[in-house]
Amino acid sequence: MSLIAALKNWRWTSLLVLLLGAMFLSATSDSSVHSDIITISAFTLVFVGTLRAAILLPLLKNVGLGLVALWLLLGVAGVLDPSNNFGPVFMLVTACILLGCLMVTLSELAHNKQAGLDPIMGAVFGYILIGVSWSLLYVQIELGAPGSFNSPSDHKTSSEFIYFSLVTLTSLGYGDITPAAPVSRLLAGLQAATGTIYIAVFIGRVVARFKD
C-alpha cells in the first residue's frame, strides 16, 4: 500500500496527529516572530487538511481554501506588524474558517457509515478542533479588549488560551485563567455547553456505530 493510499484510509487520524503537533509547537515555542509564523503555518496545514479530507463541492472547497490563504496572510502580517488594524478582519476570517472546518468535520463524520478506528479518531479530532477554535477567538478578544481574561501572567500567550479553552471545553475549570468581560464569559459558557453536547451525542453515536 502506497503512502498516499495509507493517508487516505487514515485521513482523520493523520489530521489529529497534525493538530496535536501544531498545539505542541504552540506550547513549546517562544514568542519570537519566527516561531509565531511557524505556529500559524502549522494551523494553516490543519485547516487545509480538513477541507481536503472532506467531500465538498469544488466551489465550497475553493472558497474555504481562499479564506485559509487570507487567514495566513493576515496572521503573518499581524506578527510582523502588531500595530496594524487587521484585528477585526482577522477575527472574522478566523471565526468563518473555524466554523467551516467544524461543520465540515461534523457533517463528514455524521454521514460516514464506515465503522472503524479512523472515524473515532475523527470524532476526537473534531472535539479538539473545537478547543482550538475557541482559543483563537479568545486570543482575538484579548487583543481587541485587553483585560477580557484574568491570568497570573501579564503577557498572555496563545498556548495559555489553548489551555484555558481545553479546560473549559472539558468543564474542568481550574480557575487560574478566568473570563472577566461579558463577551468572554458568554463564549466560555457556550463552549462548556458545546463540549458536553458533543461528548454526549456525537462521540457516543460514532462509538455505537463502531460497536455495531
Side-chain angles (χ1 to χ4, degrees), residues 100-161:
C101 286
L102 285 174
M103 294 302 295
V104 165
T105 304
L106 298 182
S107 176
E108 178 75 8
L109 294 174
H111 292 88
N112 187 354
K113 303 303 181 182
Q114 179 184 2
L117 182 61
D118 193 53
I120 293 181
M121 293 298 101
V124 175
F125 167 78
Y127 185 69
I128 297 179
L129 184 60
I130 292 175
V132 174
S133 303
W134 251 276
S135 73
L136 294 176
L137 290 177
Y138 291 147
V139 169
Q140 295 305 311
I141 290 174
E142 180 64 24
L143 290 176
S148 295
F149 294 87
N150 295 320
S151 173
S153 61
D154 295 330
H155 178 66
K156 304 177 183 68
T157 62
S158 59
S159 61
E160 286 183 292
F161 283 108

Side-chain angles (χ1 to χ4, degrees), residues 35-46:
S35 62
D36 288 343
I37 291 177
I38 292 174
T39 301
I40 291 175
S41 300
F43 282 116
T44 299
L45 290 177
V46 174

Side-chain angles (χ1 to χ4, degrees), residues 5-156:
L7 290 176
K8 185 176 180 180
N9 293 332
W10 294 93
R11 51 182 177 170
W12 296 111
T13 304
S14 302
L15 282 172
L16 176 60
V17 171
L18 182 60
L19 178 60
L20 292 176
M23 293 169 61
F24 181 79
L25 181 63
S26 175
T28 57
S29 61
D30 54 24
S31 299
S32 65
V33 172
H34 292 90
S35 62
D36 288 343
I37 291 177
I38 292 174
T39 301
I40 291 175
S41 300
F43 282 116
T44 299
L45 290 177
V46 174
F47 298 147
V48 172
T50 303
L51 291 170
R52 293 185 63 86
I55 300 175
L56 294 172
L57 294 174
L59 177 60
L60 293 178
K61 184 169 293 189
N62 290 334
V63 169
L65 292 175
L67 284 174
V68 171
L70 178 60
W71 184 85
L72 175 61
L73 291 175
L74 291 175
V76 172
V79 171
L80 296 177
D81 183 15
S83 63
N84 65 65
N85 296 320
F86 296 145
V89 178
F90 185 70
M91 182 175 180
L92 178 61
V93 175
T94 300
C96 290
I97 290 176
L98 297 174
L99 179 61
C101 286
L102 285 174
M103 294 302 295
V104 165
T105 304
L106 298 182
S107 176
E108 178 75 8
L109 294 174
H111 292 88
N112 187 354
K113 303 303 181 182
Q114 179 184 2
L117 182 61
D118 193 53
I120 293 181
M121 293 298 101
V124 175
F125 167 78
Y127 185 69
I128 297 179
L129 184 60
I130 292 175
V132 174
S133 303
W134 251 276
S135 73
L136 294 176
L137 290 177
Y138 291 147
V139 169
Q140 295 305 311
I141 290 174
E142 180 64 24
L143 290 176
S148 295
F149 294 87
N150 295 320
S151 173
S153 61
D154 295 330
H155 178 66
K156 304 177 183 68

